[in-house]
Amino acid sequence: MLGITDFWTYVLGVVAIILLPGPNSIFVLSVGARRGVRAGYQAAFGVFLGDAVLMVLSATGVSSLLGTYPPLFLVLKYAGAGYLAWVGVNILRGAWGRWRSRGELAATVEETPAEMRRPFRRAAVISLLNPKAILFFVSFFIQFVQPGYPHPALSFVVLGAVVQFFSALYLTALIFGGRFLAGQFQRRRRLAAGAATGVGALFVGFSIKLATAGIS
């Protein structure tokens, strides 16, 4: 079908991969919980854009440059790791400030943390600065494109649309789940600070994992 082999196997693989927690989904959940549905979708569209760019790079073979030129992979790897660490440290600082704050809870809730501003741009950067994601896309997609199909671009478009569809469903669930969490956080300042600490720690962990990742 449209140059795609084992389509339903691909769909099951995509669902399993999307459900694995990563910096994109954690960031969208955090934005939805802290800033609401609109900002959550801004972050989600940033993820869609970043993933779309990575898929185009993979389909056009640009991602193979990372394997051909290891220094390029290292530059992207450490840039991505540094950005994730920066986001994580800022979240941790904000959580510590909320934990120590003695002011009114309403003021604490209404304040927009620096790491949550411009969610679309931040989510797109988090997606793009991940060379492992580029390598994953090319290694995963290539398994389901029929060799010799005369229109491989069409196959990649369909495969990419499947990824974006299930990603949209998943991120939507996270955004509205975040709104539920926001209601809990508004009543429990320490719970909010503890959750933010966990998110910040996850981002630092993602940065360490990326910084220590190999090219294969």
Side-chain angles (χ1 to χ4, degrees):
M1 182 181 70
L2 300 177
I4 301 171
T5 62
D6 299 322
F7 177 77
W8 293 111
T9 300
Y10 170 77
V11 169
L12 291 175
V14 166
V15 171
I17 291 162
I18 288 175
L19 290 177
L20 291 174
N24 293 345
S25 57
I26 297 298
F27 183 74
V28 171
L29 175 63
S30 301
V31 171
R34 295 299 306 278
R35 297 195 53 196
V37 172
R38 181 176 179 180
Y41 273 110
Q42 289 175 352
F45 278 105
V47 172
F48 300 152
L49 175 63
D51 285 351
V53 171
L54 294 183
M55 285 185 279
V56 170
L57 292 176
S58 298
T60 55
V62 174
S63 61
S64 63
L65 291 174
L66 296 178
T68 306
Y69 300 101
L72 177 60
F73 175 81
L74 292 176
V75 169
L76 290 176
K77 180 176 75 168
Y78 290 124
Y83 187 78
L84 291 178
W86 180 79
V87 171
V89 168
N90 276 282
I91 293 174
L92 289 171
R93 289 176 58 191
W96 178 248
R98 288 192 295 275
W99 186 275
R100 296 186 61 186
S101 175
R102 303 296 183 184
E104 291 295 326
L105 178 59
T108 303
V109 173
E110 291 172 1
E111 180 184 358
T112 301
E115 69 276 2
M116 295 296 171
R117 297 170 190 161
R118 299 185 179 91
F120 175 84
R121 187 174 71 180
R122 290 186 184 277
V125 172
I126 288 172
S127 294
L128 289 171
L129 288 178
N130 191 347
K132 292 295 288 186
I134 303 176
L135 295 175
F136 163 77
F137 276 124
V138 73
S139 65
F140 189 66
F141 278 12
I142 199 66
Q143 299 178 44
F144 299 93
V145 177
Q146 180 181 337
Y149 184 68
H151 306 290
L154 179 60
S155 304
F156 281 109
V157 168
V158 174
L159 294 174
V162 171
V163 172
Q164 298 288 42
F165 173 74
F166 285 104
S167 179
L169 292 180
Y170 180 55
L171 294 181
T172 293
L174 292 180
I175 290 167
F176 284 95
R179 291 309 299 151
F180 170 77
L181 293 176
Q184 302 299 314
F185 294 160
Q186 288 177 6
R187 294 188 294 271
R188 300 175 177 86
R189 185 180 63 190
R190 290 191 174 185
L191 176 62
T197 299
V199 170
L202 279 174
F203 269 89
V204 173
F206 288 138
S207 72
I208 294 172
K209 182 178 180 180
L210 179 56
T212 57
I215 197 166
S216 58

